[in-house]
Amino acid sequence: MEDKDNKFDPSEGYEIFIPEEKADEPAPDPVGEPLVYVGPGFRDSLLSTYGIFADGVPEEFKGTVYEKLFVPASKLDAARALLKQKGSYLSVFFAQALKEHAEKKGA
């Protein structure tokens, strides 16, 4: 095989592997498994950090940034590690949840 300036040529028959689930990220809500809220807790809300929700994400939080902070209980350790990593998707959503709550409270 010739170098060809290190450019990818799909006609050469390379297979692209796309993992179904990244090992270091919590999976979406498995059916029947309780979810744990890993976002910030608020006194004026149903949400408390590490609160357990047996029936999935409550309706009032679906479609919000808070929904992204519910993880399957079996993936809690991975989620906690991601929260500590600056720039991880969970730490970004955590910061967005804090900001959104402050804006709502100030409005």
Side-chain angles (χ1 to χ4, degrees):
M1 179 167 25
E2 213 172 289
D3 188 297
K4 295 184 185 180
D5 296 321
N6 290 326
K7 293 186 179 176
F8 175 72
D9 181 3
S11 65
E12 290 185 13
Y14 292 106
E15 287 186 39
I16 298 174
F17 175 72
I18 301 172
E20 290 182 20
E21 175 185 333
K22 293 182 180 178
D24 62 342
E25 294 184 9
D29 178 18
V31 177
E33 183 173 357
L35 297 178
V36 179
Y37 173 73
V38 296
F42 306 110
R43 291 179 187 218
D44 60 347
S45 170
L46 171 69
L47 298 176
S48 62
T49 304
Y50 304 124
I52 299 171
F53 294 81
D55 297 325
V57 179
E59 285 297 319
E60 65 191 274
F61 301 111
K62 289 189 177 179
T64 68
V65 68
Y66 306 105
E67 180 179 22
K68 295 170 177 31
L69 293 164
F70 286 86
V71 299
S74 63
K75 301 285 186 173
L76 180 58
D77 289 336
R80 291 181 67 193
L82 284 171
L83 284 168
K84 293 177 185 177
Q85 290 178 7
K86 186 176 182 178
S88 72
Y89 77 98
L90 278 179
S91 67
V92 170
F93 290 140
F94 190 100
Q96 286 177 349
L98 284 172
K99 182 179 177 184
E100 186 175 306
H101 186 263
E103 288 171 356
K104 282 183 182 178
K105 199 167 187 175

